[in-house]
Amino acid sequence: MYTFSNKLKTFSIILMVLGLLGVGYGFMTSHKSLDEVKTMLAEEASHHGGGHGEEATHVVADAHDTHGEATHGEEVHAEDAHHGDAHAEHVQHQMANRPWSALYVGAFFFMMIGLGVLAFYAIQIASQAGWSPVLFRVMEAITAYVLPGALIVLAIAIASGTIGHYNIFIWMDPEVVAHDELIQGKSGWLNLPMFAVRGLVFIAGWALYRHFARKFSIAQDNAKYNTNFKKSFRIAAAFLVFFIYSESMMSWDWVMSVDPHWFSTLFGWYVFASMFVSGITVIALMSIYLKSRGYLEFVNENHLHDVAKFMFAISIFWTYLWFSQFMLIWYSNIPEEVTYFISRINDYKLPFFGMVALNFIFPVLLLMNADFKRVPWFVVMTGIVILFGHYIDIFNMIMPATVGDRWFIGIPEIGSILLFGGLFIFVVFTALTKAPLLAKGYPLIKESEDFHY
Amino acid sequence: MEASKVIHAIYNDDDILMSAVKKVKAAKYHIDEVYTPFPVHGLDKAMGLAPTRIAIAAFLYGLVGLTVATVMMNFIMIEDWPQNIGGKPSFSYLENMPAFVPIMFELTVFFSAHLMVITFYLRSRMWPFKEAENPDPRTTDDHFLMEISVNGNEEALQSLLSETGAVEINLIDKAH
């Protein structure tokens, strides 16, 4: 049995408190009045040509200067001021969106780790893998985060449309919809009640599978027959069918609909690859941590090697999907779909291409060697890079649609990572104390304990 | 080398072969060769063979393929004749890179795979019309053969091998 060390518990609580403070700070400082935004924009325009919005105003100002001497100077001035108002309002909204989006990205990132592990766990059971059963209890503990995590994500999404000012999903804003035929056409799918119901159905499906898989797994520990194993095999197969549909729709709802004018068929798989590789990485990090504390003496470097192979392979799979999505749209360059990447490449150059380095080049070069995959500190190092890279991936999916070029990874973003990271550690390690760390009744457990590569 | 003689010990089970290899190694005899009809898991470790470096070679060949693809397309599409083909930007390699990635990928795999296979053939001396080096045709079907060279210690070696469960022990004169 695992005991949740007081140190780690305190650590997770400190993370949550710090995170909460950061998130609170984000919300306190994000609401600027229109005048404040205008002075800020004017200052930015006069001081430096930093972002792209500023550059645009710069050009306008220059044009104004040359025409200023001419007779119709007044007219230009009035027009400029009017345009400036609309621009400032836009920027004001973007700045108000930032703490919401930061919170949402953090919540989604940790939720997707739990969900990715749940899918991985179901695949291990349905495929009757012989190497992984010694890691089942670690996976089950991580999946404990799926229910609270997914509910939090859904709650933030709905709250942004009810409490907030449509800070994440603009299709929730009836005023926007009224002037937008494209969104009107999609309102059969994109409307708040349906969004909530769909979300709850997905979460119920995942949580039910998790509940019963865990129940059968523990019941199998001291059972004489394999009935629980057979049941868990059957529900795993059924869950995987449900999962691939629900995950796909979840990614349209929770991620893709931040850009309601844009759509992509590959998107569900792409989000899946991201969650799958993050989940597998967390399994590796958790088992290395628990083994270093002496809780998993039945896990050896061969198991680590296999997990690291999955990290390696799914990282490449993610890149394959990322590139397929990017290249198809870049190549055909159809205006209505290419804006998605244009806004990312213009305003998010470093995160957008940086994540390819983090999620592809780094794992490929570091985890290619078979010996390196067996060295714990090496896997930990690569794992941290992969997790950071996939946080950036989610960041790149949400932020350009909500805050545009007003992004930064500052206190609101780091605060929400700390908040949900702390919650994740707390929930997962609490779940870990509830059952022995070896699923000893599982029929393939002996094979797994003797597994070597 | 003296008039070389070898002992062929024949086994009919891979488990017995494995334990025989371990015993012979423990008795500090040098095993020249082992002939088996199929890969025996762990045999190379038991014999103390050095690990293969073919994966490293394959990685380097892959880098060669990537370089070939990049240099080729940079010359053809960017430097030699930078045409406007359907509005694709051909001002620099990086700008048009997404269109080149499929070729870069395939050539990396192509070079890596083919050169690695050719390396394997060369290093293991396999080619068409090569004379088979099989000492006993049964080793391609269901027998395992261990070959140990003799240096005037036949008696001791023979008794050791018969202890290890060999079904047949033959002293062979290798006329070179």
Side-chain angles (χ1 to χ4, degrees), chain A residues 45 54-68 76 80:
Chain A
E54 288 89 84
E55 267 169 36
T57 46
H58 227 67
V59 176
V60 173
D62 281 349
H64 175 64
D65 278 350
T66 49
H67 287 276
V76 174
D80 199 35

Side-chain angles (χ1 to χ4, degrees), chain A residues 323 326-327 330-333 365 368 452-453, chain B residues 41 59 88-89 95-99 101-102:
Chain A
F323 183 71
F326 171 68
M327 196 264 240
W330 172 86
Y331 207 103
S332 61
N333 204 17
L365 293 180
M368 193 182 290
H452 76 100
Y453 156 77
Chain B
H41 201 72
F59 178 71
K88 286 272 155 305
E95 262 183 313
N96 208 1
M97 195 177 82
V101 164

Side-chain angles (χ1 to χ4, degrees), chain A residues 37-55:
Chain A
V37 175
K38 270 191 206 162
T39 37
M40 186 198 77
L41 284 175
E43 260 173 42
E44 277 177 8
S46 59
H47 280 311
H48 56 85
H52 294 264
E54 288 89 84
E55 267 169 36

Side-chain angles (χ1 to χ4, degrees), chain B residues 1 3-4 8 12 21 60 72 87 92 109 112 119 121 144 164 173:
Chain B
M1 217 174 163
S4 62
H8 282 174
N12 54 12
V21 166
L60 297 176
M72 175 182 77
S92 76
V109 174
S112 180
T119 307
Y121 284 156
F144 305 82
T164 60
D173 230 335

Side-chain angles (χ1 to χ4, degrees), chain A residues 184-422:
Chain A
Q184 281 165 23
K186 294 180 183 184
S187 60
W189 180 273
L190 290 181
N191 59 72
L192 198 50
M194 278 287 288
F195 178 86
V197 170
R198 276 196 308 271
L200 288 174
V201 170
F202 304 152
I203 295 171
W206 306 333
L208 275 178
Y209 169 68
R210 197 267 164 189
H211 173 79
F212 283 108
R214 170 78 163 177
K215 195 178 136 192
F216 294 147
S217 172
I218 287 171
Q220 184 66 45
D221 267 2
N222 297 309
K224 283 196 181 123
Y225 304 104
N226 283 339
T227 43
N228 290 300
F229 160 69
K230 286 181 185 162
K231 281 186 208 161
S232 79
F233 173 77
R234 273 191 218 117
I235 60 168
F239 166 73
L240 286 170
V241 176
F242 173 78
F243 174 77
I244 205 59
Y245 283 102
S246 59
E247 188 275 334
S248 203
M249 287 191 254
M250 176 276 281
S251 69
W252 309 335
D253 270 1
W254 296 2
V255 187
M256 199 162 77
S257 79
V258 294
D259 287 291
H261 284 185
W262 182 79
F263 51 87
S264 160
T265 35
L266 198 67
F267 203 73
W269 280 105
Y270 174 59
V271 174
F272 167 72
S274 204
M275 68 169 61
F276 206 47
V277 68
S278 319
I280 292 165
T281 304
V282 170
I283 296 174
L285 297 183
M286 283 269 292
S287 13
I288 290 170
Y289 170 76
L290 289 171
K291 191 170 164 57
S292 74
R293 288 282 177 279
Y295 287 107
L296 297 175
E297 69 282 353
F298 39 83
V299 170
N300 55 44
E301 80 264 21
N302 296 295
H303 299 104
L304 182 64
H305 189 147
D306 266 27
V307 181
K309 272 192 260 185
F310 268 103
M311 286 163 62
F312 175 74
I314 309 298
S315 283
I316 295 174
F317 178 64
W318 174 87
T319 316
Y320 168 62
L321 295 180
W322 175 84
F323 183 71
S324 301
Q325 172 154 303
F326 171 68
M327 196 264 240
L328 283 179
I329 291 175
W330 172 86
Y331 207 103
S332 61
N333 204 17
I334 299 172
E336 64 255 36
E337 53 186 28
V338 86
T339 47
Y340 184 82
F341 286 114
I342 287 180
S343 63
R344 275 156 185 78
I345 290 172
N346 283 346
D347 299 334
Y348 289 74
K349 198 161 245 142
L350 180 65
F352 187 68
F353 291 111
M355 77 175 172
V356 184
L358 293 171
N359 292 341
F360 175 63
I361 298 172
F362 215 81
V364 158
L365 293 180
L366 292 187
L367 289 179
M368 193 182 290
N369 190 316
D371 296 330
F372 291 172
K373 288 199 269 274
R374 307 170 82 85
V375 183
W377 69 265
F378 222 89
V379 177
V380 170
M381 193 175 71
T382 321
I384 289 170
V385 172
I386 291 177
L387 285 182
F388 178 62
H390 284 280
Y391 173 80
I392 300 292
D393 188 14
I394 306 301
F395 188 85
N396 272 320
M397 292 180 197
I398 304 290
M399 287 296 183
T402 53
V403 303
D405 59 353
R406 298 276 144 194
W407 68 275
F408 191 69
I409 297 189
I411 291 174
E413 286 79 9
I414 294 169
S416 56
I417 294 175
L418 296 182
L419 171 62
F420 293 110

Side-chain angles (χ1 to χ4, degrees), chain A residues 113-125 129 131-146 210 214 279-280 282-284 286-287 290 307 310 424 428 431-432 437:
Chain A
I113 290 174
L115 196 56
V117 172
L118 191 65
F120 188 72
Y121 176 72
I123 289 172
Q124 298 303 307
I125 288 180
W131 66 274
S132 54
V134 292
L135 297 173
F136 275 0
R137 286 293 146 80
V138 176
M139 298 185 207
E140 285 165 18
I142 299 172
T143 57
Y145 188 73
V146 169
R210 197 267 164 189
R214 170 78 163 177
I280 292 165
V282 170
I283 296 174
M286 283 269 292
S287 13
L290 289 171
V307 181
F310 268 103
F424 183 84
V428 168
L432 210 53
L437 286 175

Side-chain angles (χ1 to χ4, degrees), chain B residues 68-78 93 100 103-104:
Chain B
V68 167
T70 312
V71 170
M72 175 182 77
M73 287 183 296
N74 183 50
F75 176 71
I76 296 173
M77 303 299 290
I78 309 295
Y93 191 76
F100 301 144
I103 299 158
M104 290 159 73

